[in-house]
Amino acid sequence: MKIETVSTTPIEGQMPGTSGLRKKTRVFMEPRFLENFIQATFDAIGGGAGKTFVVGGDGRYFNKQAIQTILKMAAANGAATVIVGQDGILSTPAASHLIRLNGADGSFILSASHNPGGIDEDFGVKFNAENGGPAPEKLTAKIFAATTSISAYKIAVTDDVDLGTIGKIQQGQMQIHVIDPVESYQALMETLFDFDAMRDLFSAGFTMQFDAMHAVTGPYAKAILEGTLGAAPGTVVNGMPLEDFGKGHPDPNPIWAKPLMDLMMSDDAPDLGAASDGDGDRNMIVGRGIYVTPSDSLAILAANAHLAPAYEKGLAGIARSMPTSAASDRVAQKLGIVAYETPTGWKFFGNLLDAGKVTICGEESAGTGSDHVREKDGLWAVLLWLNILAVRKQSVAEIVMDHWETFGRDYYSRYDYENVAIEQANALMDDLRAQLPQLTGKNIGGLTVTSADEFSYLDPVDGSVSKNQGLRIGFAGGGRAVFRLSGTGTQGATLRLYLEQYSGIGGDLEMDSQDALRKVRDAAQAISHMEATIGRLKPDVIT
């Protein structure tokens, strides 16, 4: 096998964010763009010689071609083994599990998560480290540094390999293992949950609809829900992964999963509705007539996790991202365990999980997971809900209401202002940042500000400090507003405003969420001079 060393030059815009490098697909298809980033990653980890890697993606446009390039570059960089999902399919949590199961040195995961796919849409590459989690900040900094000084990349001159057939393929000195993407993941799930109880639940007439959104979890859900647990045929809809996700937006929320929401709010609703995103690490839970917010779902899963075999001895701790509501903190307090508040980004949970400080983690952006892998895991969350429903023998609505009556309700919503001019978004954040020291004690629209700061995180495991993680404003009476600029888009800026209002135990549990949050919302928009700075108050997406 011939190996070429191809001269190259640095390319701007290759700084990986919290979720890897994301750009428009056509950008990744440009000469040297993908190759430069992959070589920079190999260089940053000390080379590929003798190492084992996992490779796969969510099936979006350019997935298969990118995998072939990565395989050739891995061979040229001396890798010993690459494990790749059949047809290039591999969910992010399944990739994390395969790293840990096989003692691999890392994984190249090809996805732009919940962003749309297609030649004119989005693509991404993320490197997960040997613990199975997203590359830590020190490594992403090394990768970026390598992209700024790269002068050549290595690639094998060889034919593409057949990814459609399970088996082993020799590519020079490197062995490629094409595997069933579901098999190992399903085996892991069977060690965590009571599959017999869930089978009994379905055999007793329990009904469900799982919307895979033409993304990666389709094969996983079909195999586990319909194949193993006995859910009725057709329980999984949109189950075939497509390069453009059926021209949909594979983000499991009430906006982009509207057909599922409409069904669950209708007279024909099944007992449970669920959805997952592009790469399988997010989830949405809906009961008959009730949407469960991701913040509430995290809290309810934590409060009931002991009903599943893997967690019957209790939890070490609970972690949530800073913008996520405090609902899970109240569960931790009752359980007598530690609650951690981290920046947004699953890699911050990784240190806590590796150190055994927490068992369950979650983010308001529909990501929940546990110490079984080092990623959020959409289907895992759905299976834990099923396990809880099978044991408690109550409806989703009954479980949610019982939780609110026990802990109080955290009314919660996220406003996304998309494609904001970067200058305007930065101006809003800078102006608000300058106001923070003077806000405490002020009365804004009838609400008194009790705290105002910029969130900074001291990692209790490695002592690292992460600054500038979002602007927080607390109000008397249990209200809170958080402002952040999101790093998950590929154009413009997305300004996110997170709103929270705690009811208190015995408070009103059945208000409309937007009514409950109105005063906090109005105060946040007034303090930030939102209309004057970005020219709008109405968000593009409300979740």
Side-chain angles (χ1 to χ4, degrees):
M1 181 181 68
K2 182 182 177 183
I3 295 175
E4 283 189 349
T5 299
V6 182
S7 296
T8 188
T9 55
I11 297 174
E12 291 185 6
Q14 292 200 308
M15 178 62 187
T18 58
S19 299
L21 179 66
R22 293 183 187 171
K23 296 288 180 181
K24 288 299 179 183
T25 305
R26 290 186 186 274
V27 174
F28 269 97
M29 295 172 69
E30 292 173 2
R32 301 184 294 112
F33 191 89
L34 174 65
E35 291 86 348
N36 272 22
F37 188 73
I38 300 303
Q39 186 63 57
T41 303
F42 280 126
D43 293 344
I45 63 172
K51 294 179 179 178
T52 296
F53 298 99
V54 175
V55 179
D58 60 15
R60 67 179 60 229
Y61 190 91
F62 194 55
N63 188 73
K64 291 181 179 179
Q65 300 95 313
I67 289 175
Q68 296 290 349
T69 297
I70 292 170
L71 291 175
K72 292 171 185 177
M73 294 187 68
N77 279 273
T81 307
V82 175
I83 301 165
V84 58
Q86 186 179 22
D87 293 322
I89 294 294
L90 204 59
S91 77
T92 290
S96 178
H97 174 54
L98 285 169
I99 294 171
R100 297 164 63 79
L101 180 67
N102 294 280
D105 297 280
S107 175
F108 292 94
I109 300 174
L110 310 181
S111 174
S113 187
H114 54 290
N115 291 7
I119 191 168
D120 293 313
E121 296 295 348
D122 299 340
F123 193 79
V125 178
K126 180 171 75 165
F127 185 78
N128 277 31
E130 58 187 7
N131 74 332
E137 288 185 315
K138 289 181 180 178
L139 179 52
T140 57
K142 286 183 179 180
I143 294 171
F144 175 62
T147 67
T148 64
S149 60
I150 191 169
S151 60
Y153 64 83
K154 298 176 183 178
I155 190 165
V157 181
T158 184
D159 292 336
D160 289 352
V161 299
D162 177 14
L163 299 179
T165 303
I166 293 173
K168 296 180 180 179
I169 304 166
Q170 200 70 32
Q171 192 174 62
Q173 299 300 309
M174 183 179 79
Q175 193 168 77
I176 299 169
H177 296 186
V178 181
I179 64 162
D180 181 330
V182 177
E183 185 176 22
S184 294
Y185 177 84
Q186 178 170 335
L188 175 63
M189 295 300 106
E190 291 183 14
T191 70
L192 302 177
F193 302 118
D194 188 343
F195 270 40
D196 288 336
M198 288 187 275
R199 269 189 285 263
D200 291 344
L201 181 70
F202 282 113
S203 66
F206 184 87
T207 56
M208 175 182 180
Q209 184 166 112
F210 181 95
D211 189 349
M213 307 190 85
H214 287 302
V216 78
T217 49
Y220 295 84
K222 288 279 287 186
I224 296 173
L225 297 177
E226 295 185 16
T228 301
L229 297 179
T235 292
V236 178
V237 299
N238 301 321
M240 176 68 72
L242 298 177
E243 290 188 334
D244 62 355
F245 304 118
K247 301 192 183 305
H249 192 139
D251 191 352
N253 64 48
I255 304 299
W256 302 119
K258 189 175 184 300
L260 178 63
M261 286 295 297
D262 289 345
L263 172 65
M264 295 307 299
M265 302 300 149
S266 74
D267 293 337
D268 298 322
D271 296 301
L272 176 67
S276 191
D277 73 327
D279 67 330
D281 62 1
R282 301 183 185 215
N283 73 92
M284 181 174 79
I285 299 294
V286 196
R288 185 180 289 138
I290 185 168
Y291 166 67
V292 185
T293 70
S295 293
D296 274 347
S297 184
L298 169 64
I300 292 168
L301 291 179
N304 292 275
H306 63 280
L307 300 178
Y311 313 103
E312 61 186 0
K313 294 182 180 179
L315 309 178
I318 304 170
R320 64 169 175 87
S321 64
M322 181 273 288
T324 303
S325 89
S328 61
D329 297 5
R330 309 183 205 287
V331 174
Q333 184 177 25
K334 183 171 183 178
L335 295 177
I337 58 178
V338 180
Y340 293 90
E341 183 181 34
T342 75
T344 297
W346 206 262
K347 60 189 175 186
F348 295 102
F349 295 144
N351 274 0
L352 298 172
L353 291 165
D354 285 344
K357 291 183 176 294
V358 300
T359 307
I360 284 182
C361 310
E363 298 179 326
E364 56 72 35
S365 55
T368 40
S370 84
D371 57 0
H372 68 290
V373 291
R374 294 297 181 267
E375 285 280 4
K376 46 189 176 278
D377 189 345
L379 190 51
W380 168 88
V382 175
L383 291 172
L384 181 49
W385 263 99
L386 281 170
N387 200 144
I388 293 166
L389 290 164
V391 174
R392 290 190 56 167
K393 302 187 187 306
Q394 294 174 291
S395 69
V396 172
E398 288 170 336
I399 289 173
V400 171
M401 186 57 67
D402 178 70
H403 186 88
W404 290 342
E405 289 173 351
T406 303
F407 296 96
R409 181 177 180 182
D410 288 87
Y411 288 98
Y412 187 85
S413 189
R414 187 181 88 190
Y415 286 17
D416 287 2
Y417 299 86
E418 298 177 342
N419 295 324
V420 178
I422 292 174
E423 297 79 7
Q424 292 179 337
N426 286 334
L428 183 145
M429 295 294 285
D430 289 342
D431 174 66
L432 186 55
R433 187 176 288 113
Q435 292 187 63
L436 292 177
Q438 292 82 41
L439 282 179
T440 301
K442 283 191 174 181
N443 187 289
I444 312 293
L447 290 180
T448 301
V449 177
T450 57
S451 62
D453 67 1
E454 185 158 18
F455 181 54
S456 179
Y457 177 66
L458 173 63
D459 193 301
V461 179
D462 64 17
S464 63
V465 177
S466 299
K467 298 181 179 180
N468 306 319
Q469 296 297 316
L471 308 180
R472 305 183 295 185
I473 303 171
F475 299 96
R480 187 179 74 146
V482 173
F483 291 80
R484 281 184 67 248
L485 295 182
S486 170
T488 62
T490 58
Q491 57 186 11
T494 296
L495 173 67
R496 285 184 171 156
L497 169 60
Y498 308 82
L499 305 169
E500 182 176 355
Q501 178 64 58
Y502 180 51
S503 70
I505 296 175
D508 190 338
L509 303 178
E510 298 190 57
M511 285 184 69
D512 174 79
S513 290
Q514 298 306 315
D515 288 342
L517 295 165
R518 179 178 55 80
K519 287 187 176 180
V520 174
R521 179 201 65 205
D522 291 350
Q525 291 176 336
I527 292 169
S528 65
H529 307 133
M530 181 176 287
E531 187 169 23
T533 306
I534 69 170
R536 48 179 154 151
L537 291 176
K538 184 178 179 181
D540 296 279
V541 179
I542 297 177
T543 52

